């Protein structure tokens, strides 16, 4: 789950990482009031779940409350990489002497947290890694040892930060960022830029924060930060029903059990010349209600022309899934052609149930490839 800048900064603040004071605003009037409360010049920042807001005109300095109101009017409604701005973060403006970059991510290769620090901040880190790799200091932290200050010093010297006061402040921030990363079950905490003010104070000016979805049950306060309005309506409906669904832009609706199998199904659809309309994972259960919910969500997409239903039953039983399909067809009057491929536990029983009921729009195929071909034909 990706957090907005202001949410990430709230979490940074909880762990003692210095951030600027700010207020959330959804209208120009609120932006003006926020600027009045904060006093002095402010920066009006678009809150969208994508980077590069600055370049897209989503970040503007304002030197008075009236100016903040005007800037808010300009930014609200702006489309930044397909994300429409509905919220603004109004923050006390900072003076900037230097822009650095600091992040910690989860490095799956080494199974360790990975810090990256460079004095070449403000720009995309990929650019630094490509054009100036020596400027990027890296540090892996062993999860069993935890973070040790000497490692932080190595990171800071490695990045070439020479000022003793900056070194001390950044060491403190690195340690706190590690605690924040571990305790929130984050997979990414990025500060770009980490600024140094002309007075020598180091502060996080931006935040990019991703929390592991699978750990959200441990963090109800963070789970609550999810902004359902930021998702397409289909995905919102799916989430409310507990169905894992991602909208894509093709014609073949896809439903399977298990993320890996669904991903393979997307590939096979593409292989036989079709375009998947969605990713939809039924999960391990596959009970009738789950199938009804998933089929409703998939068939609500007006682009869908056919649906392929790919089940490999281990824990799930194909006869239960078959009942779910038949129940869904009864309840929802889905008229799309549906191609079913069953394999694994009780596959024969499942196919027998479908054959017995024999709804006119149901097609059973023996293999994933045949099912994909049939679904693509039917979508044409
Ligand atoms: P991003 O473009 O989405 O990464 O948004 P950032 O929050 O990183 O802001 C982009 C750039 O705007 C920063 O690198 C700064 O140069 C500038 N900026 C943001 N906030 C301030 C501020 O308070 N004062 C000044 N002077 N510049 C700012
Ligand atoms: Mn940034």
């Amino acid at each position: 789950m990706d957090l907005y800048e202001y949410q990430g900064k709230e979490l940074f603040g909880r762990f003692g990482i210095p951030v600027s004071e700010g207020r959330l605003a959804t209208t120009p009037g609120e932006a003006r009031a926020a600027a009045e409360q904060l006093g002095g010049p402010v920066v009006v920042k678009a809150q969208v779940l994508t980077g590069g807001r600055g370049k897209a005109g989503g970040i503007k300095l304002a030197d008075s409350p009236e100016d903040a109101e005007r800037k808010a009017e300009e930014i609200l409604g702006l489309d930044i990489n397909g994300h429409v701005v509905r919220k603004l973060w109004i923050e006390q403006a900072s003076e900037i002497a230097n822009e650095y970059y600091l992040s910690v991510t989860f490095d799956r290769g080494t199974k360790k947290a990975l810090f990256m620090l460079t004095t070449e901040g403000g720009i995309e880190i990929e650019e630094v890694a490509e054009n100036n790799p020596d400027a990027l200091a890296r540090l892996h932290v062993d999860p069993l040892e935890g973070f040790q200050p000497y490692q932080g010093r190595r990171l800071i010297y490695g990045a070439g930060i020479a000022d003793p006061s900056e070194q001390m402040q950044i060491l403190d921030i690195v340690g706190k960022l590690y605690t924040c990363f571990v305790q929130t079950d984050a997979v990414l905490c990025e500060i770009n830029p980490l600024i140094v003010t002309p007075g020598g104070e180091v502060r996080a000016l931006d935040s990019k924060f991703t929390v592991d979805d699978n750990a959200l049950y441990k963090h109800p306060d963070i789970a609550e930060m999810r902004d359902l309005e930021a998702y397409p309506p289909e995905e919102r409906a799916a989430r409310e029903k507990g169905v894992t669904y991602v909208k894509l832009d093709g014609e073949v609706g896809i439903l399977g059990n298990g993320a890996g199998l669904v991903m393979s199904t997307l590939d096979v659809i593409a292989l036989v010349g079709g375009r998947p309309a969605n990713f939809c994972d039924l999960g391990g259960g596959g009970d009738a209600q789950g199938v009804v919910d998933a089929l409703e969500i998939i068939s609500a997409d007006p682009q869908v022309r056919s649906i392929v239903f790919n089940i490999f039953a281990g824990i799930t039983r194909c006869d239960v899934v078959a009942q779910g399909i038949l129940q869904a067809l009864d309840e929802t009057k889905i008229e799309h052609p549906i191609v079913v491929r069953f394999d694994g536990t009780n596959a024969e029983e499942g196919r027998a149930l479908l054959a017995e009921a024999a709804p006119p729009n149901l097609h059973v195929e023996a293999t994933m490839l045949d099912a994909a071909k049939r679904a693509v034909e039917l979508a044409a």
Side-chain angles (χ1 to χ4, degrees), residues 251-324:
E251 297 78 34
V252 182
I254 290 175
L255 178 54
N257 64 330
L261 184 68
V262 177
M263 296 291 265
S264 313
T265 313
L266 301 186
D267 286 347
V268 175
I269 291 293
L271 182 75
V272 298
R275 295 195 314 156
N278 64 275
F279 171 101
C280 187
D281 177 10
L282 206 53
D287 60 357
Q289 191 55 48
V291 176
V292 171
D293 290 343
L295 279 178
E296 270 179 4
I297 288 157
I298 293 172
S299 61
D301 174 354
Q303 262 177 259
V304 169
R305 308 272 286 276
S306 70
I307 297 172
V308 61
F309 207 131
N310 192 8
I311 297 294
F312 188 95
I315 305 167
T316 321
R317 287 165 31 205
C318 290
D319 54 328
V320 175
V321 178
Q323 279 161 5

Side-chain angles (χ1 to χ4, degrees), residues 132-317:
N132 197 2
D134 290 342
L136 193 61
R138 294 163 197 260
L139 168 75
H140 281 103
V141 178
D142 187 298
L144 299 178
E145 275 172 29
F147 173 78
Q148 306 293 332
Y150 78 87
Q151 299 172 316
R153 277 182 217 112
R154 197 179 285 162
L155 180 73
I156 289 161
Y157 299 147
I161 291 164
D163 179 87
S165 159
E166 282 180 27
Q167 289 175 344
M168 266 171 46
Q169 293 178 71
I170 295 173
L171 181 63
D172 185 55
I173 291 173
V174 170
K176 286 171 172 162
L177 193 62
Y178 184 74
T179 310
C180 174
F181 178 77
V182 172
Q183 291 195 5
T184 60
D185 287 292
V187 290
L188 168 70
C189 294
E190 183 186 83
I191 305 175
N192 188 22
L194 178 72
I195 58 153
V196 186
T197 66
E201 206 188 306
V202 181
R203 202 173 329 137
L205 208 68
D206 190 9
S207 118
K208 205 166 166 188
F209 207 121
T210 309
V211 179
D212 184 351
D213 275 320
N214 294 317
L216 283 176
Y217 74 97
K218 291 193 262 177
H219 309 287
D221 55 330
I222 299 177
E224 228 170 59
M225 291 178 174
R226 195 189 294 277
D227 178 7
L228 287 171
E229 281 179 45
Y231 295 86
E234 305 90 341
E235 286 183 29
R236 220 184 305 165
R239 201 172 282 280
E240 277 159 16
K241 291 189 163 162
V243 176
T244 311
Y245 174 93
V246 180
K247 168 128 177 62
L248 303 170
D249 52 12
E251 297 78 34
V252 182
I254 290 175
L255 178 54
N257 64 330
L261 184 68
V262 177
M263 296 291 265
S264 313
T265 313
L266 301 186
D267 286 347
V268 175
I269 291 293
L271 182 75
V272 298
R275 295 195 314 156
N278 64 275
F279 171 101
C280 187
D281 177 10
L282 206 53
D287 60 357
Q289 191 55 48
V291 176
V292 171
D293 290 343
L295 279 178
E296 270 179 4
I297 288 157
I298 293 172
S299 61
D301 174 354
Q303 262 177 259
V304 169
R305 308 272 286 276
S306 70
I307 297 172
V308 61
F309 207 131
N310 192 8
I311 297 294
F312 188 95
I315 305 167
T316 321
R317 287 165 31 205

Side-chain angles (χ1 to χ4, degrees), residues 5 9 20 42-43 45-46 48 50-56 59-61 91-96 99 121-124 190 192-193 195 203 205-207:
E5 173 197 5
K9 282 181 167 171
S20 305
V42 295
V43 52
K45 307 185 81 175
V48 279
T50 181
R53 296 165 301 162
K55 277 186 212 151
I59 293 179
K60 292 198 158 89
L61 288 161
E91 183 174 274
Q92 274 174 349
S94 304
E95 285 186 78
I96 303 176
E99 295 192 316
I123 52 172
E124 301 279 311
E190 183 186 83
N192 188 22
I195 58 153
R203 202 173 329 137
L205 208 68
D206 190 9
S207 118

Side-chain angles (χ1 to χ4, degrees), residues 17-96:
I17 297 162
V19 290
S20 305
E21 207 191 320
R23 300 269 188 288
L24 200 62
T26 55
T27 64
E30 283 175 22
R32 181 197 183 113
E36 268 160 13
Q37 284 170 18
L38 292 166
V42 295
V43 52
V44 180
K45 307 185 81 175
Q47 297 299 291
V48 279
L49 296 174
T50 181
R53 296 165 301 162
K55 277 186 212 151
I59 293 179
K60 292 198 158 89
L61 288 161
D63 48 27
S64 68
E66 296 70 43
D67 195 19
E69 184 172 358
R70 261 196 308 277
K71 299 283 160 62
E73 245 163 62
E74 290 170 25
I75 298 174
L76 282 167
L78 213 71
D79 185 309
I80 302 182
N81 310 323
H83 298 251
V84 178
V85 182
R86 294 177 294 108
K87 292 198 267 188
L88 302 169
W89 180 241
I90 316 297
E91 183 174 274
Q92 274 174 349
S94 304
E95 285 186 78
I96 303 176

Side-chain angles (χ1 to χ4, degrees), residues 301-352:
D301 174 354
Q303 262 177 259
V304 169
R305 308 272 286 276
S306 70
I307 297 172
V308 61
F309 207 131
N310 192 8
I311 297 294
F312 188 95
I315 305 167
T316 321
R317 287 165 31 205
C318 290
D319 54 328
V320 175
V321 178
Q323 279 161 5
I325 297 173
L326 295 172
Q327 189 182 326
L329 290 179
D330 265 0
E331 280 180 20
T332 57
K333 313 220 181 331
I334 293 172
E335 280 163 13
H336 300 81
I338 301 179
V339 183
V340 180
R341 175 258 183 168
F342 280 156
D343 207 341
T345 311
N346 291 2
E348 266 169 43
E349 287 86 338
R351 282 195 286 263

